[in-house]
């Protein structure tokens, strides 16, 4: 994985802007700690930071290739899991290769098939290719949006990059936020509306989209989206096909020239991926799989089961590592580390994020990086297979809003009256929810139950899953660690999308069809274990610490957060028992302590980035 950036300017000579390009590229150094490169011509500048995974010796970027006199230059962040097949096909069509890295495969595929190349890719990617002859920039992002790609369009300028920070480093872009940006922070956050960059004049290439930038303007093309079709398989056939797809996906994603490990929580998703990896390693004589888990100091003393987190992970991790014989690395953090990491987690996102859920993952990835460069993670299975509690609760299914963000009235009450009147929080989230529902691809003839569950699935895949993929990408890449997410294979997503709910929930269990597909791969007790989300700290010291951080912000008259919030309300909340309740403020994991940490991150973000509002 890597970091990419660059820009087009039709009215200037960019060969004079090498310093600007170097600064933009340097902001992405954590994403690519192994190498850096820039390429610049009159109207196009490209920058790249590299994390070497495939062909470390020959995969330098920007990469340049020729067809006759036509020159093509690429900067690329991602992995093509079907690169070997593509390479064979391209070779059969007369194309030659000088490396074994997938960057060259991607570039040659574009040279052969043009914009249609993206439809052939199986992988996670964000890239930009400059066609010198056509004087045209082509950009694309993978189907599920695993890899990020932001852009800013201003007059003759088109600026892009893996993260907002590299675009904000450009001299033409300022850290400004308007009413919509504030609504994203205070109403939608820590999620984001697809395509929305929060900052003024900053947008995001949506998953499954590509862009063409030339003198005629900027054209956006959707090359992939979910399509609703009848499901032809019965329960057994469905389970078998899910298993085949998952096995193929994991095998593809285990290929690497550097060490690969798995993230193991002892839950269904991570245990399944780890078991498949162990089977593959054993079959090919590749030795033991290394696994990593995260926990928190004194969690065993303070853990209290509740609807969103019914049991702790530790015994299940031990069960799986013993069963599979992995080389296990348990990682543990204490409250002071989590609190301190809130700062770096904010800078990794360039925005306030998921509080300790972000911070702990950032710390975790730094520890994993000491022993591995690539990790396999179970992200996205719950969105795709319907694992979250809100798939199974009538009040969430009937709620006329996003089910992970039900406390909209409370959120609105935390804003200052002036800001609330300006951003209109209830109206804003209502509009964003209506937009999402209007996008759902319907299937003619479905009954009301199936339609409702299809809608819930769509909301999760297109609105909630990106939040977790953003988190995974920013925190892992800030540590120079590549994390692969097999459940985001588009073939699997397309197939599972059209499985009727009664089959998806086979056996009247969340992710029932996935459990059935994994029979014989996992022990029965793990196979049927009740879902438990990413672990968070239950230590009351964390609440005390983040409450203290926020109160310090409230006590400082220079805090940029103060004009935006209802200070009195937030003080009252901090002093009430509500702060320590398990009622989620966002998702499954973010309750009172995370709300305080999030508001602290908002203040930090405003201050560090010198954000202007208006």
């Amino acid at each position: 994985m890597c970091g990419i950036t660059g820009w087009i300017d039709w009215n200037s000579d960019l060969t004079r802007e090498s310093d600007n390009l170097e600064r933009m590229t340097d902001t992405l150094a954590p994403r690519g700690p192994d190498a850096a490169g820039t390429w610049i011509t009159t109207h196009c500048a490209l920058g790249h930071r590299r994390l070497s995974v495939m062909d470390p010796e020959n995969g330098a970027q920007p990469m340049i290739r020729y067809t006759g006199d036509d020159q093509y230059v690429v900067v690329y962040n991602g992995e093509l899991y079907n690169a070997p097949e593509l390479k064979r096909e391209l070779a059969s069509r007369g194309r030659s290769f000088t490396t074994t890295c997938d960057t060259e495969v991607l570039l040659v595929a574009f040279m052969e098939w043009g914009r249609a190349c993206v439809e052939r890719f199986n992988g996670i990617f964000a890239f930009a290719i400059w066609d010198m002859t056509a004087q045209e920039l082509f950009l694309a992002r993978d189907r599920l949006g695993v890899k990020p790609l932001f852009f800013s369009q201003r007059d003759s300028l088109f600026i892009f990059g893996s993260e907002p920070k590299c675009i904000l480093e450009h001299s033409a872009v300022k850290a400004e936020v308007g009413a919509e940006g504030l609504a994203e922070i205070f109403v939608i956050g820590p999620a984001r509306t697809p395509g929305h960059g929060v900052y003024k004049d900053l947008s995001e290439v949506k998953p499954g989209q590509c862009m063409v930038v030339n003198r005629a303007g900027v054209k956006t093309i959707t090359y992939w989206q979910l399509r609703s079709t009848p499901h032809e398989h019965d329960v057994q056939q469905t389970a078998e096909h899910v298993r085949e797809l998952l096995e193929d996906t994991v095998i593809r994603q285990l290929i690497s020239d550097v060490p690969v490990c798995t993230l193991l929580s002892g839950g269904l998703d991570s245990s399944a991926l780890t078991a498949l990896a162990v089977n593959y390693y054993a079959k090919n004589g590749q030795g033991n799989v290394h696994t990593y888990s995260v926990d928190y100091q004194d969690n065993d003393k303070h853990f209290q089961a509740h609807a969103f987190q019914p049991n702790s992970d530790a015994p299940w991790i031990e069960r799986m590592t013993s069963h599979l014989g992995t080389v296990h690395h348990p990682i543990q953090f204490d409250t002071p580390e989590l609190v301190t990491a809130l700062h770096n987690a904010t800078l990794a996102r360039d925005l306030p994020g998921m509080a300790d859920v972000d911070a702990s993952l950032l710390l975790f990835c730094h520890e994993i990086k000491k022993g591995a460069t690539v990790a396999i993670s179970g992200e996205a299975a719950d969105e795709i297979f319907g694992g979250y509690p809100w798939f199974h609760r009538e009040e969430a299914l009937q709620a006329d809003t996003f089910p992970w963000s039900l406390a909209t009235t409370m959120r609105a009450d935390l804003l200052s009256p002036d800001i609330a009147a300006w951003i209109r929080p209830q109206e804003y989230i209502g509009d964003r929810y209506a937009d999402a529902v209007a996008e759902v691809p319907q299937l003619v003839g479905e009954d009301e139950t199936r339609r409702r569950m299809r809608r819930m699935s769509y909301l999760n895949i297109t609105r909630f899953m990106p939040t977790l993929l953003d988190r995974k990408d920013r925190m892992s890449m800030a540590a120079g660690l590549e994390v692969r997410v097999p459940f985001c294979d588009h073939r699997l997503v397309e197939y599972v999308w059209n499985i009727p709910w009664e089959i998806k929930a086979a056996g009247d269990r969340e992710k029932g069809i996935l459990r059935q597909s994994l029979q014989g791969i996992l022990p029965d007790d793990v196979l049927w274990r009740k879902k438990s989300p990413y672990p968070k700290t239950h230590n009351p010291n964390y609440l005390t610490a983040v409450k203290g951080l926020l109160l310090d912000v409230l006590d400082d008259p220079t805090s940029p957060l103060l004009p935006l919030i209802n200070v009195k309300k937030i003080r009252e909340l901090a002093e009430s028992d509500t702060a320590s309740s398990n009622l989620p403020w966002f998702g499954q994991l973010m309750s009172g302590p995370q709300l305080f940490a999030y508001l602290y991150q908002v203040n930090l973000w405003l201050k560090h980035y010198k954000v202007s509002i208006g």
Side-chain angles (χ1 to χ4, degrees), residues 190-192 194 354 379 382-383 388 390-391 402-405 456-470 586-590:
R192 273 188 301 113
M354 295 185 76
E379 214 79 49
D382 287 306
E383 291 87 347
Y388 290 122
W390 47 71
F391 277 90
F402 301 111
W404 50 85
S405 192
M456 179 63 81
S457 293
Y458 189 84
L459 295 175
N460 277 264
I461 292 170
T462 66
R463 297 308 192 269
F464 191 71
M465 191 167 79
T467 308
L468 302 187
L469 293 177
D470 279 356
F586 179 88
Q588 303 176 87
L589 299 176
M590 300 185 70

Side-chain angles (χ1 to χ4, degrees), residues 414-444:
L414 299 181
L415 296 169
S416 74
D418 288 346
I419 293 297
W422 187 33
I423 71 175
R424 300 174 296 182
Q426 300 282 22
E427 182 179 334
Y428 188 83
I429 197 168
D431 289 345
R432 298 293 77 77
Y433 178 74
D435 291 342
V437 170
E439 294 172 7
V440 180
Q442 302 295 333
L443 181 62
V444 176

Side-chain angles (χ1 to χ4, degrees), residues 110 115 117-118 127-130 136-140 210-212:
F110 176 79
R115 302 171 189 177
C117 66
V118 290
F127 65 86
I129 296 175
W130 174 249
E136 187 171 273
L137 187 72
F138 179 73
L139 306 97
C210 53
M211 302 181 79
V212 179

Side-chain angles (χ1 to χ4, degrees), residues 209-257:
Q209 286 192 340
C210 53
M211 302 181 79
V212 179
V213 184
N214 54 33
R215 289 183 181 274
V218 178
K219 181 180 180 181
T220 299
I221 304 161
T222 298
Y223 71 89
W224 182 87
Q225 56 191 343
L226 290 169
R227 299 187 185 278
S228 296
T229 59
H231 184 74
E232 305 293 346
H233 292 163
D234 61 24
V235 174
Q236 182 178 346
Q237 292 169 322
T238 300
E240 289 173 355
H241 193 58
V242 166
R243 179 169 175 156
E244 290 169 2
L245 285 170
L246 193 56
E247 286 178 333
D248 180 71
T249 297
V250 171
I251 290 170
R252 289 176 182 275
Q253 298 194 21
L254 286 171
I255 297 171
S256 174
D257 291 341

Side-chain angles (χ1 to χ4, degrees), residues 327-402:
V327 180
H328 189 61
H329 308 264
I331 308 297
Q332 192 171 89
F333 302 115
D334 202 357
T335 296
E337 297 170 274
L338 288 173
V339 173
T340 301
L342 286 169
H343 178 275
N344 287 341
T346 307
L347 304 192
R349 269 199 195 247
D350 299 315
L351 291 167
M354 295 185 76
D356 59 314
V357 184
D358 276 7
S360 62
L361 181 59
L362 178 61
L363 293 170
F364 189 30
C365 289
H366 276 293
E367 291 299 312
I368 297 168
K369 177 64 176 178
K370 295 175 182 178
T373 302
V374 178
I376 303 290
S377 172
E379 214 79 49
D382 287 306
E383 291 87 347
I384 295 162
F385 285 94
Y388 290 122
W390 47 71
F391 277 90
H392 307 272
R393 295 185 172 182
E394 197 62 29
E395 67 273 18
L397 291 167
Q398 296 293 346
D400 197 22
T401 189
F402 301 111

Side-chain angles (χ1 to χ4, degrees), residues 56-102:
E57 295 298 319
N58 301 304
Q61 296 185 49
M63 182 177 284
I64 304 169
R65 291 293 180 269
Y66 293 86
T67 295
D69 294 331
D70 297 335
Q71 183 185 46
Y72 302 87
V73 189
V74 66
V75 285
Y76 160 54
N77 167 31
E79 293 288 340
L80 289 187
Y81 302 127
N82 65 336
E85 297 100 304
L86 289 171
K87 190 172 186 178
R88 286 192 295 270
E89 183 176 357
L90 289 163
S92 73
R93 299 169 73 93
R95 298 288 180 174
S96 60
F97 296 85
T98 61
T99 76
T100 61
C101 68
D102 60 337

